[in-house]
Each structure stands twice: as structure tokens, then as C-alpha cells.
């Protein structure tokens, strides 16, 4: 009996020491992880980073989630790919890639929220000033296609490195098959359809969302994020999301002090002229 208790205690300690699996969330869950894809098409290698945010955290239209207000003035987020759980993937990726060739895109998706209009959708970077919308058939192909690449980043033979199954917000690197996200961005578009979603390193990309329409061939609502919302990947390995800053409007007492100051300056100037 004592031996059994000791064995049970040892098993519990061992189980506690093993990190819980924290795989990246797919679009098929209805609320995918917000993910960054970075790639070098010259050297045929890519990296995928789970940004620790989800579709719902960035959704601004549609019927599945309330407006997140992520495009409100003064919003600033950043991710340092060179540190923490991202660092090994970033360094592994750069060992095969040339930073001058790097391109990137950010995507989140919802592909499990029923068939009503607005219940499915994609959030993505956009390398254009206006959204090129797609019908439901194309949108659903984009959502399903992205899931195949998310899954492959964890299990495909082309995966060079991955820690998605070990940490909360992991990353992976791939150079062949579906593990290489290059295949998803045909013509620099999501699943080779719609607007250009890919940009060069150092470039600021707009952000858009499109949701499903009421029928197979219909086109659902779409919008460009407001307040000049952009994603930017710097050569220093830091990804930022930012909107236009809040402009401070002086309060009434501040205006009063300014007017008094200007009046006093005018009075002094007249005295000197006299």
C-alpha cells in the first residue's frame, strides 16, 4: 500500500513537471489564434508565430463577436520575436533566410460559427488602400486553407522547428510542404484570392476584416480598420500594431490660462511701445 501511494505521488509530480499542450487555435474552432507568417521566397523558408491574441480580440464587424474596438485611437501592441518563446524559431528562421528578402502577413479566422451571414470571417493585413472583397465560396476556401497550414506547422515533415505544443504562444519554422506558409500566399494574397495581404519587412500594412454573406455566392460585409490601424514588422524582429494617436484637446481652464497669457503679453508689448 505504501509503495502504491509513493508511486502515485511520483506520478503526480512527474505530470506536474510536464508542460500542458498549448497548440495554436484553428479557424475551425470558431476563434483562431492571431498569427504572424514571415517568409523568404528566395530561400524557400517561412516561420509562423502565435501572437497570443485571437480572432475575437481583433473582430470589429460580424455577428459572432462584439466589436473589440481594437482600432480605437491610441491602440499600441508589440511582439518581440527575438526573445522568450519566439527566440529559437526566429533565430532558426534567420539561419536560412536573408532579412532583406523577408515578407510578412498577419491573419486570424473564424470558420465554425454557423451558416448565418456574418458568422464566419477573416482578419488580415492588406497591402492596399481599399478592400478587395470575395464571395462566400472563396472566403471559405481561404479559411480552410489557412487551417491546413496552421496544422502543418506542428506536424508536417517539412517543419524544421516548432514549440506550439509546448508553450502558450509558440512558433514554428518550415521549408517544405504545408509547413512552409509560402504556399498559402499565392500571388501574395490569402489563398491566392482577394487583395494583396503580404508586405515587405519594414512596411506598414493596413488591416481588414471580411465576414460571410447569406448565401454561397454572396459577398458578406467587409471593412478596413479605422484610425490608420497598421501592422509593421521591423528589421529588429519586433512586430507592432498601432492606430493613430489620441489628440489631446485642452480643457477649458487650460484655454483660459492661455488667453490670459496672451493678453498679458499684449499688454507688455503695448507698454513698451508707449
Amino acid at each position: 500500500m505504501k509503495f502504491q501511494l509513493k508511486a502515485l505521488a511520483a506520478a503526480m509530480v512527474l505530470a506536474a513537471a510536464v508542460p500542458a499542450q498549448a497548440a495554436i487555435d484553428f479557424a475551425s474552432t470558431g476563434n483562431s489564434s492571431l498569427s504572424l507568417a514571415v517568409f523568404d521566397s528566395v530561400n524557400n523558408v517561412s516561420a509562423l508565430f502565435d501572437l497570443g491574441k485571437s480572432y475575437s480580440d481583433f473582430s470589429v464587424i460580424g455577428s459572432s463577436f462584439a466589436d473589440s474596438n481594437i482600432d480605437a485611437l491610441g491602440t499600441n501592441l508589440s511582439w518581440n520575436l527575438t526573445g522568450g518563446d519566439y527566440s529559437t524559431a526566429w533565430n532558426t528562421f534567420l539561419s536560412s533566410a536573408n532579412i532583406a528578402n523577408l515578407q510578412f502577413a498577419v491573419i486570424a479566422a473564424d470558420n465554425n460559427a454557423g451558416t448565418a451571414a456574418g458568422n464566419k470571417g477573416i482578419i488580415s493585413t492588406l497591402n492596399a488602400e481599399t478592400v478587395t472583397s470575395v464571395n462566400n465560396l472563396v472566403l471559405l476556401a481561404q479559411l480552410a486553407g489557412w487551417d491546413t497550414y496552421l496544422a502543418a506547422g506542428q506536424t508536417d515533415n517539412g517543419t524544421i522547428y516548432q514549440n506550439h505544443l509546448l508553450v502558450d504562444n509558440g512558433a514554428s519554422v518550415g521549408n517544405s510542404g504545408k509547413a512552409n506558409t509560402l504556399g498559402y500566399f499565392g500571388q501574395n494574397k490569402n489563398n491566392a484570392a482577394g487583395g494583396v495581404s503580404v508586405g515587405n519587412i519594414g512596411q506598414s500594412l493596413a488591416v481588414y476584416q471580411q465576414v460571410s454573406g447569406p448565401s454561397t455566392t454572396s459577398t458578406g460585409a467587409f471593412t478596413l480598420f479605422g484610425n490608420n490601424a497598421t501592422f509593421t514588422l521591423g528589421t529588429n524582429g519586433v512586430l507592432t500594431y498601432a492606430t493613430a494617436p489620441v489628440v489631446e484637446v485642452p480643457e477649458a481652464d487650460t484655454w483660459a490660462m492661455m488667453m490670459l497669457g496672451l493678453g498679458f503679453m499684449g499688454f507688455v508689448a503695448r507698454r513698451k511701445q508707449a
Side-chain angles (χ1 to χ4, degrees), residues 29-84:
T29 67
N31 195 20
S32 87
S33 300
L34 183 73
S35 304
L36 164 69
V38 191
F39 39 89
D40 179 346
S41 58
V42 177
N43 292 295
N44 195 40
V45 63
S46 74
L48 181 70
F49 298 87
D50 180 347
L51 299 178
K53 298 289 184 180
S54 61
Y55 179 89
S56 61
D57 293 324
F58 273 72
S59 181
V60 296
I61 60 172
S63 54
S64 294
F65 302 100
D67 183 353
S68 66
N69 291 313
I70 195 67
D71 58 350
L73 287 170
T75 303
N76 289 279
L77 301 171
S78 65
W79 297 263
N80 185 357
L81 308 181
T82 68

Side-chain angles (χ1 to χ4, degrees), residues 145-157:
W146 184 236
D147 263 2
T148 64
Y149 285 88
L150 293 182
Q154 301 170 97
T155 61
D156 193 86
N157 291 334

Side-chain angles (χ1 to χ4, degrees), residues 92-169:
T92 301
F93 171 63
L94 288 184
S95 67
S96 299
N98 183 335
I99 199 163
N101 299 334
L102 299 193
Q103 295 179 294
F104 76 99
V106 176
I107 296 180
D110 171 5
N111 195 23
N112 188 34
T115 57
N119 277 4
K120 299 175 186 286
I122 190 169
I123 296 167
S124 172
T125 45
L126 180 67
N127 196 348
E129 295 182 356
T130 57
V131 179
T132 301
S133 58
V134 297
N135 65 33
N136 273 10
L137 282 175
V138 177
L139 175 63
L140 295 180
Q142 289 178 329
L143 304 183
W146 184 236
D147 263 2
T148 64
Y149 285 88
L150 293 182
Q154 301 170 97
T155 61
D156 193 86
N157 291 334
T159 302
I160 303 170
Y161 168 84
Q162 72 90 15
N163 64 352
H164 291 295
L165 299 175
L166 300 175
V167 299
D168 285 339
N169 304 311

